[in-house]
Amino acid sequence: MQMFLDILLVITSVLLVLLVLLHRAKGGGLSSLFGGGVQSNLSGSTVVEKNLDRITIFVGLIWFIAILGIGFEIKFA
């Protein structure tokens, strides 16, 4: 279990770094290189940005759960 959590932590850490770098900053980001997607009239944000936000939050939650799992395993093992 420890090995699985360690591998999961490394993979999610790298994914989080890449996903955060893809987000658009105030002046535009790397995500603008991939087309930007379809404009949404309601919020002014693109579909790509919304999906990127959702994926980043999901990967962040998996990263957090992996950290907690490693911590519990260290404490109670």
Side-chain angles (χ1 to χ4, degrees), residues 2-4 7-8 10 20-22 25-26 30 33-34 37 41-42 45-46 52 54 57-59 65 68:
Q2 178 72 30
M3 181 67 78
F4 170 74
I7 292 171
L8 183 66
V10 169
V20 168
L21 287 175
L22 283 174
K26 291 181 181 177
L30 289 177
L33 293 176
F34 300 113
N41 293 330
L42 297 176
S45 178
T46 64
L52 191 58
R54 291 179 186 134
I57 290 170
F58 179 71
V59 172
I65 291 169
L68 287 178

Side-chain angles (χ1 to χ4, degrees), residues 46-64:
T46 64
V47 173
V48 172
E49 285 290 326
K50 287 182 183 179
N51 289 335
L52 191 58
D53 289 341
R54 291 179 186 134
I55 294 170
T56 304
I57 290 170
F58 179 71
V59 172
L61 287 174
I62 293 174
W63 179 83
F64 184 71

